[in-house]
Amino acid sequence: MSTREPPHPPVPRSLLTRLPIFYGWLIVAAAFVTMAVGVNARTSFSLLFPPILAEYGWDRGVVAGVFSFGFLTSAVVSPYVGRMIDRQGPRLVIEVGVITLALGLSLATLAREPWHSI
């Protein structure tokens, strides 16, 4: 008599293992698109400066001040974001960052006064 166990049924492969490309490349692509949108939203100011002045009629100093305030805020918040990534992990912090970026870009369309942009 044999003491061999009966064979186990085949384990279905997950969707990720059936992808025709390495899953890590999807992560790289998502990070690339997210960074492209985020960086371009921040650095397109010089291109958009004349249309913003024409659209709103604000002083050049006010518009540049709002832009500078945004960069100053980013510089102050960055160390805290780094600490959150260390404690909570990048997945949560990046998801919150993407949601915040999308919300900020969406709400920027409603700005009518300089203090709305802050």
Side-chain angles (χ1 to χ4, degrees), residues 14-49:
S14 73
L15 176 64
L16 296 178
T17 59
R18 289 182 279 160
L19 289 175
I21 62 170
F22 176 60
Y23 176 69
W25 288 115
L26 295 176
I27 301 299
V28 170
F32 177 80
V33 170
T34 303
M35 291 298 296
V37 171
V39 169
N40 286 324
R42 298 290 294 170
T43 58
S44 64
F45 176 75
S46 60
L47 179 65
L48 299 175
F49 190 60

Side-chain angles (χ1 to χ4, degrees), residues 7-91:
H8 296 291
V11 177
R13 292 174 27 184
S14 73
L15 176 64
L16 296 178
T17 59
R18 289 182 279 160
L19 289 175
I21 62 170
F22 176 60
Y23 176 69
W25 288 115
L26 295 176
I27 301 299
V28 170
F32 177 80
V33 170
T34 303
M35 291 298 296
V37 171
V39 169
N40 286 324
R42 298 290 294 170
T43 58
S44 64
F45 176 75
S46 60
L47 179 65
L48 299 175
F49 190 60
I52 290 172
L53 292 174
E55 175 74 22
Y56 294 106
W58 299 339
D59 292 334
R60 294 174 67 87
V62 171
V63 175
V66 169
F67 177 72
S68 298
F69 181 77
F71 264 101
L72 179 65
T73 303
S74 177
V76 169
V77 170
S78 291
Y80 298 105
V81 171
R83 189 170 299 136
M84 283 177 51
I85 288 174
D86 288 342
R87 291 184 179 166
Q88 304 294 327
R91 173 179 256 167

Side-chain angles (χ1 to χ4, degrees), residues 34 37-38 41 94-111 116-118:
T34 303
V37 171
I94 290 173
E95 288 173 2
V96 169
V98 168
I99 291 168
T100 304
L101 175 69
L103 183 64
L105 290 174
S106 299
L107 290 175
T109 62
L110 303 175
H116 294 164
S117 302
I118 295 177

